[in-house]
Amino acid sequence: MSDSIHVRTWRGPLAEFVIGAYRGQLCLLDYRYRRLRQRVDQRVQRNLGASFLEADDPVIDATIAQLEEYGRGERQQFELPLRLAGSEFQQAVWQALMAVPYGGTASYGELAERLGQPQAVRAVANANGANALALVVPCHRIIGRRGELVGYGGGLELKRRLLRLEQEHVGQLPLFADLLNAETDDE
């Protein structure tokens, strides 16, 4: 691997992130203490044919600024150049995730339907879990088929906080307020 992915860790009000930029594009925005951290990092590096190098980068700076705005409820959509590092199917799922509006939710089954592959619910769930661009590719907006909160790389408590933040800033009552306020075992 001869190319570099500039990486930096950043602790924000929502969580601590690892942020990576490759050739002027955001390729990594993931939770620093995610259980699958090493697997995500290896996949991104392999897909891009590059290795990590701790360095400052204008894309990382822009990402941090937009994360801060998002955390204050001032930003509903990220405007960053993206480099999605994954298979064609994973990238299709991630594009579908980006179509789920701020403050909204969808189920894995709904995403599979949108992709024209209703039988691919499990594959959609796996692609969702492989997402290396938390918040920007909003996998936190995916819920179970019965409206329940399901796994999230940042943990279910953070997922609940993110959904609550978004729903408060679009001026709607949570669609499943009982789930957002309920105690849940974190993964």
Side-chain angles (χ1 to χ4, degrees), residues 110-176:
E110 289 169 328
L111 281 181
E113 290 279 343
R114 290 177 192 175
L115 293 168
Q117 299 183 41
Q119 74 289 354
V121 174
R122 189 165 293 199
V124 165
N126 288 336
N128 190 61
N131 175 26
L133 293 172
L135 303 179
V136 174
V137 176
C139 55
H140 63 280
R141 296 180 188 151
I142 303 307
I143 58 175
R145 68 178 171 202
R146 292 181 297 276
E148 72 275 16
L149 293 183
V150 292
Y152 185 58
L156 291 180
E157 180 54 36
L158 179 57
K159 182 174 189 164
R160 182 181 296 107
R161 286 179 36 222
L162 294 170
L163 291 172
R164 186 179 300 126
L165 169 82
E166 290 185 6
Q167 291 177 346
E168 286 172 358
H169 285 93
V170 294
Q172 70 183 49
L173 293 173
L175 301 174
F176 44 98

Side-chain angles (χ1 to χ4, degrees), residues 42-65:
Q42 289 171 346
R43 183 178 44 78
V44 169
Q45 289 176 78
R46 185 179 58 251
N47 272 287
L48 298 178
S51 56
F52 286 170
L53 173 68
E54 279 201 44
D56 289 329
D57 191 287
V59 171
I60 293 173
D61 294 339
T63 301
I64 290 170

